[in-house]
Amino acid sequence: MSDEPEGGGESTLTVVLAGGVNLAIAVLKLVAGIITGSGAMLSEAAHSVADTITEVLLLTALKRSERPADRRHPFGYGKERYFWSLLAAVSIFASGAVFALYEGFTTVFGEGAEQTKPIVGYIVLALAFALESVSWAQAVRQVRRDAKAEQRPFFAYLRMIDDPAPKTVLFEDSAALVGLLLAFAGIGLHQLTGSDVWDGIASILIGVLLACVAYLLGSTNRGLLVGRQADPRLVRGIRDHLGAAPEIDALVDLQTMLMGTDHVLVCARVDFDDALGAADLERACVRMADELSERFPDVAEVFIEPVPRTDPKLRATVLARYGVPPRPNQ
């Protein structure tokens, strides 16, 4: 993972750029929709309004998640980023998808509306595509750079990312570019055929597109809020490091959880060498926790619990969770 200051600053730039672009585009689309009478254009205006609300929520997520731990929240506020990002996904659906679907079905099954000045729609869509491309390029640049830093393929990194801000901007900007092409097709087919059914179909497709994006982002943030395991590579590194410690006979259980972006909680149950005294065991726990934090910057909290590897209740718990019996040093 990238370190927090740099990652947070890049995420903020990505979100602010996307928010400014979406606000400008929303105004242009709304004016064009009123002038042309295009349902697809009005749907795209709602799409941009939803995206603007999303950026405001993401900025809130970035700022509130950076607050330090306190008495009421001893593990910090990192998960606030996931909560506000989940609301952003809901906003995309409620503000964008629902309106676009309503506008589309109203156009298809309602009374026909005459299209006026389609050239205005084409110009606005072209400008919007150019502006959205700038925001999209920034999101792609950030994700690609972070994926390279972690030595992961682009799409594999997107699946494992623990910072929802760049992923949300990338998904919504990609949907925006596709939505603009759909709106262009709807206006063009309306002009060619004289039937506003095509305009309505374009609106419906935009609504379905937004609903899919909202679902994907909501699913991602739901998993992070519930408490997802850390990156498997990080888990393997922690397991190997603890398993190699001379004081440990067996690593009985290892649990990790993302507490925020680049903030991992580690809980390890280990069977220590029986020859260790109480003071030796205490020093070993402190040393190993320090080593994990130094070697793996994402590790923020470490809890090490001494346990006997032969305890039947503990073995049953590990077996129920992972489906395989624990092996020595794992």
Side-chain angles (χ1 to χ4, degrees), residues 293-317:
S293 297
E294 291 174 3
R295 182 174 177 182
F296 309 103
D298 289 0
V299 173
E301 299 285 349
V302 179
F303 297 92
I304 301 176
E305 178 185 2
V307 297
R309 80 181 82 175
T310 56
D311 181 78
K313 184 177 180 181
L314 179 58
R315 289 177 64 86
T317 299

Side-chain angles (χ1 to χ4, degrees), residues 21-63:
V21 166
N22 284 319
L23 181 59
I25 291 174
V27 175
L28 290 174
K29 289 177 180 176
L30 179 59
V31 173
I34 294 173
I35 293 174
T36 62
S38 168
M41 185 62 75
L42 290 175
S43 296
E44 273 298 297
H47 182 173
S48 293
V49 169
D51 286 351
T52 303
I53 296 173
T54 295
E55 313 314 335
V56 173
L57 292 171
L58 289 179
L59 280 176
T60 303
L62 292 172
K63 296 302 179 185

Side-chain angles (χ1 to χ4, degrees), residues 31 54 94 98 172 188 229 238 251 266 274 277 291 319:
V31 173
T54 295
V98 172
E172 69 177 21
Q229 177 185 254
I238 294 171
L251 179 57
V266 176
D274 292 337
E291 288 174 352
L319 178 61

